[in-house]
């Protein structure tokens, strides 16, 4: 998944590792990395190399993804279910990969209207529709 995004972005010299963390580990990482308390869904780190390559780590919390997907289904487990959780995991992997590549977004209300978010959702649609075939 990250490999496809890197290819679509033309990022030939970039390597991204995806790591899944349980909720307690993600809370600890969030506290150490950002100083924020609480659970977050994705954290990304980018380390540009002297030779131009970029190495990145994307940490994803499936429990946070599940919580968000279920909340979007208005509490009806049949409304979104496993497909929605899978789609949210895809979204988080893409989101973190775009951060590794240097994309960013504003906090707050404008976040879902920025160019990074539109790019992310375009890639989500591509990957999710391919998975449905």
């Amino acid at each position: 998944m990250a490999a496809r995004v890197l290819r679509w972005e033309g990022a030939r010299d970039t390597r991204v590792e995806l790591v899944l963390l349980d909720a307690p580990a993600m809370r600890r990482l969030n506290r150490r990395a950002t100083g924020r308390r609480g659970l977050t869904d994705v954290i990304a780190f980018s380390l540009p190399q002297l030779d131009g390559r970029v190495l990145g780590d994307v940490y994803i919390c499936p429990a946070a993804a599940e919580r968000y997907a279920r909340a979007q289904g208005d509490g009806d487990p049949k409304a979104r279910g496993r497909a929605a959780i899978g789609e949210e995991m895809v979204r988080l992997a893409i989101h973190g990969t775009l951060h590794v590549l240097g994309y960013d977004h504003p906090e707050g209300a404008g976040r879902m209207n920025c160019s990074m978010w539109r790019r992310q959702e375009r890639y989500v649609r591509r990957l999710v529709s391919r998975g449905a075939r």
Side-chain angles (χ1 to χ4, degrees):
M1 171 177 352
R4 284 188 181 165
V5 172
L6 295 173
R7 189 173 42 235
W8 292 334
E9 287 291 318
R12 291 184 182 91
D13 294 328
T14 302
R15 179 180 173 155
V16 174
E17 297 284 332
L18 300 177
V19 180
L20 302 180
L21 295 179
D22 64 13
M26 186 60 116
R27 281 188 190 93
R28 285 190 301 274
L29 179 61
N30 191 27
R31 177 67 184 227
R32 281 192 297 244
T34 69
R36 296 182 195 137
R37 291 184 181 267
L39 185 61
T40 191
D41 49 8
V42 62
I43 297 176
F45 299 99
S46 180
L47 184 61
Q49 303 295 295
L50 293 175
D51 62 3
R53 293 179 302 130
V54 176
L55 304 178
D57 291 322
V58 176
Y59 295 88
I60 298 171
C61 181
E66 181 175 0
R67 182 184 301 170
Y68 180 79
R70 292 204 188 284
Q72 293 303 104
D74 295 324
D76 180 0
K78 295 178 184 174
R80 302 266 299 163
R82 290 188 196 277
I85 296 166
E87 181 178 320
E88 189 61 18
M89 293 292 291
V90 167
R91 179 172 286 107
L92 295 175
I94 293 168
H95 188 89
T97 300
L98 290 174
H99 274 308
V100 167
L101 293 174
Y103 290 93
D104 207 0
H105 54 78
E107 293 297 321
R111 157 184 214 152
M112 296 173 96
N113 294 320
C114 72
S115 61
M116 177 186 167
W117 208 274
R118 288 190 300 272
R119 181 179 299 267
Q120 165 191 297
E121 291 306 305
R122 186 173 65 240
Y123 290 154
V124 169
R125 284 189 302 275
R126 278 188 196 177
L127 287 170
V128 169
S129 68
R130 286 182 182 192
R133 292 181 195 168

